[in-house]
Structure formats: structure tokens, C-alpha cells
Amino acid sequence: MKHILPILTITTLAAAASAQTAAAPAGLSYNRVTVSREGQNNTLAAEALLGSSNVLATIGTSTAGTSYSLGYVFKNVAAGIDATVSVGAGDAANNSDIGLTLRRSLSEVVAGLEARIVLGYNSGAGNAASTTDYTYELQYNINKQFGIAYSLTDIDAAGVSNLHTISVRYNF
């Protein structure tokens, strides 16, 4: 009988430790599928961290074609901001892409809110001119699996600016 209390204590502590490790990790999700609409252009993209590394692989398809990129995520660079440096290739308008993405959770403002800023350089292919684009995005995560985002993209030297995009995301 006198050994029951230590056994119960150890069992309770083990159960509590197990429950903490089973909880979903805090922070931004990088394993996700996105469906977007900008004007008449629909896009389907998937991105995921490879294994337990910080290497981020992305594939996307739209009316412009298919694109691919690989990036490296530097987590919590400053003030909770994750920075991703990426290179890619693909669609009909771009020969190669170089990008810098900054993402931060804004849950201290509104639970589930996050912001993203993307600086991209696209070297043109064929007759397409090289461009630098800036994308500003706000995303609201409805729950751990689904989020909805609105973004504004400004592209220089291409004669196109202020592209408005609505996206729905599924985190896996």
C-alpha cells in the first residue's frame, strides 16, 4: 500500500510529459497546400519542409505553367520573424526566380493572424522582361488546418501592378 503513492505520482508525471509532446508545435506551418485566385488566374501550390530539415520545397501550377522552388527557412531570425531564401524555375513567363520571404505570427494582435512579405526577382524568359515584385499578405488561420489569406503584389517594369489575390490554405 505504501508504494501506491509513488507509483501514482510517477504515472501522472509520465502522462503529463507524454501529453505535452503530443501537443501541436507552436509557430508557423510550412507544410501546406494553397488554392489561389487572382483575376482570371487560378493557382494550386504545395510546399513542405523536407524531413526534419529547414529545406522548403514548393511546386505550383497555374495557367502560366508549372513552377518549382527550393528554399531554406531561417526560423526566428528576429522578433519572431522567419526568413526564407529561395531559388526556383518554371512557368512560361519566368526563367528563374530568387526570393526572400519574411513571415511572422501576429497572434498577440489577433489569435490566428500572420503576416508575410515577399521580395522576388524574376529573370525574364524570351521576350519577357526581368521584374522585381513585392507581395504583402495577411492570413487568418481559422483553425490549425485551414487559413484564408489576402495578398497584394506590386510588380515593376512589367506594366502590371497591384495584383489582388485571395488564397485558401490547408496545413498538413
Side-chain angles (χ1 to χ4, degrees):
M1 266 291 180
K2 61 182 172 179
H3 297 294
I4 291 178
L5 185 58
I7 291 171
L8 285 175
T9 304
I10 291 170
T11 305
T12 304
L13 289 173
S18 173
Q20 284 182 339
T21 58
L28 302 169
S29 175
Y30 286 94
N31 300 321
R32 59 194 189 164
V33 175
T34 302
V35 176
S36 301
R37 179 145 177 109
E38 173 268 309
Q40 298 298 314
N41 189 20
N42 296 318
T43 303
L44 174 64
E47 66 181 7
L49 291 172
L50 300 179
S52 60
S53 72
N54 285 1
V55 176
L56 184 67
T58 305
I59 183 170
T61 185
S62 69
T63 54
T66 303
S67 61
Y68 312 89
S69 72
L70 277 178
Y72 189 85
V73 180
F74 296 92
K75 295 187 177 183
N76 199 19
V77 173
I81 297 171
D82 288 0
T84 304
V85 177
S86 61
V87 293
D91 68 35
N94 301 310
N95 189 23
S96 62
D97 305 321
I98 300 170
L100 172 65
T101 303
L102 304 174
R103 284 180 69 195
R104 186 179 190 283
S105 172
L106 299 175
S107 290
E108 68 275 7
V109 177
V110 173
L113 189 65
E114 72 177 62
R116 181 173 78 123
I117 298 173
V118 180
L119 168 62
Y121 172 75
N122 305 309
S123 65
N127 294 331
S130 297
T131 61
T132 302
D133 56 66
Y134 304 90
T135 301
Y136 310 95
E137 179 181 274
L138 277 178
Q139 177 173 316
Y140 177 70
N141 296 305
I142 299 165
N143 55 37
K144 289 184 181 186
Q145 280 78 37
F146 292 98
I148 187 164
Y150 168 77
S151 62
L152 175 66
T153 302
D154 187 27
I155 302 173
D156 73 350
V160 179
S161 63
N162 297 329
L163 302 174
H164 303 272
T165 306
I166 299 292
S167 302
V168 176
R169 293 198 173 103
Y170 174 74
N171 300 317
F172 58 93

